[in-house]
Amino acid sequence: MAHPFFSLHRQRMIRVAAATPPASVGDVPANAERTIALARDADARGCDLVVFPELNLTSYAIDDLHLQSAQQAATLAGIAAVAAASAGLKPLLLVGAAILRAGRLYNCAVAVHRGRVLGVVPKTYLPNYREYYEKRWFASGGGLTGLAIDLGPAGGPVPFGVDLIFAADDLPFFTVHAEICEDYWAPTPPSTAGALAGALVCCNLSASNIVIGKARERAMLAAAQSARGVCAYVYSAAGIGESTTDLAWDGQGFVYELGELLVQSERFARGPQLAVADVDAERLLQERSRFGTFNDAAREAGHPETAFRRIGFTHGEDMTDADDRGGLERAIRRFPFVPNDPDKRDAECYEAFNIQVEGLAKRLEAAHARTLVIGVSGGLDSTHALIVAAKAMDRLGRPRDAILGFTMPGFATGEGTKAHAWALMRALGIAAEEIDIRPAARVMLADMGHPFADGQPVYDVTFENVQAGLRTDYLFRLANQRGGIVLGTGDLSELALGWCTYGVGDQMSHYAVNAGVPKTLIQFLIRWCIRTGQYDDATHQVLAGILAQEISPELVPADADTGALQSTEAMIGPYALNDFFAHYVLRHGLAPSKIAFLAWHAWRDAAAGRWPADVPEEARVAYDLPTIRLWLERFCTRFFQTSQFKRSAIPNGPKVSSGGAVSPRGDWRAPSDGTARVWLEEIARTMPGEAG
């Protein structure tokens, strides 16, 4: 049997589907057959929830036929048929039907699960404008709570009202609210109260006809509602087969989560469709716990949870058991900090870059600094900080030679990076100087009695930090001497890992312009600068050469036998994985095994999924689960146990990404005396394999 780690439910995820069966013009038996066929398909695909269009059993565009007794009786028989067929199926089904109760006809969502009807939710808002005449046939369900309805052949009495949430007893994160079409066009959609009452998945059964531009409007509403309600939103509109007397139908279906589109159907398709996606309920729960305004809204609304009836059902799958669903029905971004949509990539890079530029420009003005002092190594971080600084000077109308760039070669500085540093400074037109730190470092190491001073090849942390500390010491004294401030170059990835020298080292500066930007995003921003012509051709050529380099701290001499440079990623792990881990820790607070589960799906197959366009072919690699676990364990130790004291004392710097930052004044506050035990034990308890 497969390990429970691979179970979707163990990872608190729910597989949902927006179903679009071919419709009919009032042929209820045919509608029921098509509903059952799609329900069976959804069951075969491992779905937990299937949402059908509004009135999909009855048919929507049948006008006064809604008021015919034969049509109403056929609808009840159709519900009974669907319920009977669902006995051997796993998904919770939300089907649409017009149902008579107490002399009033209601447009309803009917919840069906494993052979029985769980409850019936009537539509609240009935459109009666433009092409709609629903008040001619239907009564509003607004205000109807605590009631029941007898469904005749489909059974009863069952709960009836707008106060229903369907909740799986054995999967506590599987909580569902239903509303119908016009309900979410209203200024106060019922799903708002449903979400505040605890529903994590809000659903819309819709028969919205299509006109030019309406598909965008539907998507906008669903995106906004899923973001405001901190929920998933599943929407299914009526498709081909409804009456076209005056209207047309496109069968639009989609699933949104926290404002992000997970999946959408093909519109105007003539055959049946299932738009399937895996909703991350844990992510939603964690987001609600961080979003204090969500609880405030529940309080201001009188805590809707107390007004709703939770209709329980047993889904029938143990969370500890593995399942055989195969791949994840959800695209997991390999680079969660990086713009992934080609249509939005340049706009988002523009925003990120200019956040840094404006942050630095304001600090220069506020500090009344005559100059800006920066150490330029020829590596990624100092390169990015320098081009941000150049743009800030341009924007302030100040000469670029007010930037004082210093390259400070040490015992392991390569000729390539040093050449890049000089080439970049010259291309940008800043004031450039070189200070060789090796004589001062030798004196310090000799004063300390370090073996290197006696000619021994001892390259320990002291040897490394003497160099890093001297560079920072020089920069601060140079800033004192020349009326400037020191610009920090370290990035978010290094701060997350503690990969920086504390105090008199690269952890400290007057302004940490890169502190909110992870390494993976820095690479993309530099590429964006080249692609969009932010500088001249000479500068772009240097930037391209810097991007092609191995990432190295260059603090330890190259290997005597192979000539290989000290590799950062060989020591601390691939930045692509570390940034992935950091995003889900900072932004979502997920358990490490869940992060590993997502990382495995994102990175296990280099040929699968979409890569951001700027990733070079040689960087399109895969990581297996043991590799992910190895570096995740080391990340957790570094992040939670050994490096918080460095983050607690970082200088000011702008937050750039909603993915998170590590400033103690913003996204991340933690004790410097913490332990990684809880996270490491969770990995050991829940993941396959051995500790790395």
Side-chain angles (χ1 to χ4, degrees):
M1 178 181 291
H3 195 282
F5 169 83
F6 300 102
S7 167
L8 202 67
H9 290 155
R10 168 64 181 76
Q11 302 296 348
R12 293 202 281 184
M13 302 183 85
I14 308 162
R15 182 159 294 176
V16 304
T20 311
S24 77
V25 185
D27 187 345
V28 177
N31 289 340
E33 289 175 6
R34 293 163 183 169
T35 299
I36 292 166
L38 268 179
R40 288 173 176 154
D41 289 346
D43 179 71
R45 291 184 64 175
C47 292
D48 301 306
L49 168 69
V50 188
V51 180
F52 288 87
E54 179 182 13
L55 296 176
N56 72 291
L57 289 180
T58 305
S59 296
Y60 181 82
I62 57 175
D63 298 333
D64 288 351
L65 299 184
H66 284 301
L67 301 177
Q68 293 291 309
S69 293
Q71 185 75 26
Q72 295 161 9
T75 294
L76 291 178
I79 295 172
V82 171
S86 74
L89 305 180
K90 180 169 59 177
L92 170 66
L93 310 177
L94 292 179
V95 299
I99 303 174
L100 194 67
R101 182 187 183 279
R104 301 178 182 88
L105 189 65
Y106 293 95
N107 182 342
C108 300
V110 182
V112 179
H113 184 256
R114 292 192 185 272
R116 67 188 182 99
V117 176
L118 301 180
V120 177
V121 179
K123 186 173 182 176
T124 296
Y125 297 103
L126 303 176
N128 222 58
Y129 55 89
R130 294 198 293 266
E131 63 266 37
Y132 297 109
Y133 305 96
E134 287 195 26
K135 290 182 180 179
R136 179 181 175 97
W137 310 298
F138 303 122
S140 169
L144 297 182
T145 61
L147 301 176
I149 186 171
D150 188 342
L151 295 177
V158 299
F160 177 88
V162 294
D163 58 340
L164 306 185
I165 286 179
F166 304 99
D169 301 322
D170 49 349
L171 298 176
F173 50 85
F174 187 6
T175 50
V176 178
H177 177 272
E179 63 187 5
I180 302 171
C181 202
E182 184 76 5
D183 287 348
Y184 98 134
W185 264 274
T188 53
S191 56
T192 298
L196 293 174
L200 290 173
V201 184
C202 294
C203 307
N204 192 299
L205 296 76
S206 178
S208 170
N209 69 296
I210 188 63
V211 293
I212 294 172
K214 196 173 187 181
R216 290 192 300 273
E217 183 181 6
R218 295 171 185 152
M220 174 194 69
L221 290 170
Q225 192 66 351
S226 69
R228 282 198 305 263
V230 193
C231 63
Y233 200 93
V234 187
Y235 178 92
S236 178
I240 301 300
E242 280 283 2
S243 173
T244 57
T245 300
D246 292 301
L247 304 173
W249 318 87
D250 67 334
Q252 185 175 23
F254 47 65
V255 181
Y256 276 84
E257 179 184 295
L258 286 176
E260 179 182 355
L261 177 66
L262 299 185
V263 68
Q264 59 186 336
S265 64
E266 178 189 350
R267 297 168 58 212
F268 301 105
R270 299 203 64 83
Q273 286 200 88
L274 285 173
V276 179
D278 291 332
V279 167
D280 193 339
E282 182 178 6
R283 179 188 183 211
L284 297 172
L285 288 165
Q286 286 293 330
E287 187 69 14
R288 286 184 178 182
S289 73
R290 284 163 168 69
F291 184 29
T293 300
F294 185 87
N295 183 64
D296 292 343
R299 182 196 64 220
E300 292 300 310
H303 291 292
E305 186 175 3
T306 62
F308 274 78
R309 288 178 284 171
R310 291 175 72 89
I311 309 303
F313 63 97
T314 300
H315 194 54
E317 182 172 328
D318 190 332
M319 279 190 3
T320 63
D321 290 341
D323 58 39
D324 57 357
R325 298 167 192 240
L328 198 62
E329 295 277 5
R330 178 189 182 95
I332 305 297
R333 292 167 59 180
R334 293 178 172 92
F335 301 95
F337 285 104
V338 171
N340 200 47
D341 185 338
D343 295 332
K344 300 177 182 177
R345 177 188 59 181
D346 286 353
E348 293 184 7
C349 286
Y350 168 85
E351 284 182 337
F353 190 74
N354 280 282
I355 288 168
Q356 293 182 272
V357 170
E358 286 303 315
L360 178 56
K362 176 61 180 177
R363 180 50 53 92
L364 283 166
E365 290 179 318
H368 302 288
R370 297 197 312 270
T371 62
L372 186 63
V373 177
I374 179 173
V376 183
S377 69
L380 281 174
D381 291 345
S382 66
T383 292
H384 186 64
L386 180 54
I387 61 178
V388 168
K391 191 67 73 174
M393 288 298 186
D394 294 348
R395 193 159 297 172
L396 291 171
R398 298 175 60 176
R400 288 186 182 177
D401 61 10
I403 302 171
L404 311 182
F406 293 89
T407 183
M408 293 177 280
F411 297 116
T413 301
E415 288 302 317
T417 52
K418 180 179 172 182
H420 280 136
W422 271 106
L424 183 62
M425 291 189 290
R426 289 183 177 123
L428 289 171
I430 72 169
E433 296 184 41
E434 181 174 315
I435 297 175
D436 187 341
I437 66 167
R438 287 173 292 185
R442 286 193 180 94
V443 170
M444 181 176 287
L445 290 166
D447 288 344
M448 297 171 64
H450 192 277
F452 180 81
D454 295 328
Q456 299 181 45
V458 177
Y459 308 128
D460 56 10
V461 67
T462 304
F463 176 81
E464 293 188 12
N465 284 348
V466 160
Q467 297 171 80
L470 277 171
R471 287 177 175 133
T472 302
D473 199 3
Y474 271 116
L475 292 174
F476 271 95
R477 303 297 73 81
L478 287 162
N480 293 155
Q481 182 188 52
R482 305 187 190 190
I485 61 173
V486 176
L487 183 62
T489 61
D491 62 41
L492 186 151
S493 305
E494 294 176 340
L495 288 166
L497 294 161
W499 189 249
C500 51
T501 302
Y502 181 72
V504 184
D506 55 333
Q507 179 262 353
M508 187 50 60
S509 65
H510 287 120
Y511 194 69
V513 74
N514 285 342
V517 190
K519 190 81 73 179
T520 49
L521 181 54
I522 281 178
Q523 293 170 322
F524 277 81
L525 291 177
I526 294 174
R527 292 188 183 107
W528 171 80
C529 287
I530 297 171
R531 187 176 63 252
T532 59
Q534 296 297 311
Y535 303 93
D536 57 31
D537 290 343
T539 302
H540 296 153
Q541 186 174 353
V542 178
L543 294 177
I546 291 170
L547 283 168
Q549 293 179 139
E550 168 82 26
I551 299 173
S552 172
E554 293 194 327
L555 293 171
V556 172
D559 185 273
D561 296 324
T562 66
L565 293 175
Q566 184 184 20
S567 170
T568 297
E569 292 185 299
M571 292 181 283
I572 62 173
Y575 275 115
L577 286 182
N578 283 318
D579 285 356
F580 190 98
F581 304 153
H583 171 84
Y584 284 100
V585 166
L586 291 169
R587 182 65 180 85
H588 301 298
L590 300 184
S593 63
K594 175 64 169 289
I595 297 172
F597 177 81
L598 297 174
W600 179 64
H601 279 285
W603 286 97
R604 63 178 173 164
D605 184 356
R610 185 174 73 188
W611 289 86
D614 284 348
V615 177
E617 287 297 327
E618 63 272 15
R620 300 188 179 194
V621 298
Y623 299 108
D624 60 19
L625 190 57
T627 301
I628 291 168
R629 175 172 177 166
L630 167 70
W631 294 118
L632 178 60
E633 288 173 339
R634 297 188 184 182
F635 174 89
C636 287
T637 299
R638 282 183 168 275
F639 185 84
F640 291 107
Q641 185 165 304
T642 64
S643 60
Q644 178 57 38
F645 74 98
K646 297 180 181 181
R647 295 189 292 270
S648 294
I650 62 173
N652 298 164
K655 178 180 176 179
V656 171
S657 169
S658 62
V662 292
S663 169
R665 297 167 294 276
D667 283 357
W668 185 255
R669 302 180 188 184
S672 296
D673 306 307
T675 173
R677 178 177 178 177
V678 168
W679 288 266
L680 295 176
E681 288 184 351
E682 197 274 347
I683 293 173
R685 186 174 63 252
T686 60
M687 287 190 65
E690 301 296 328

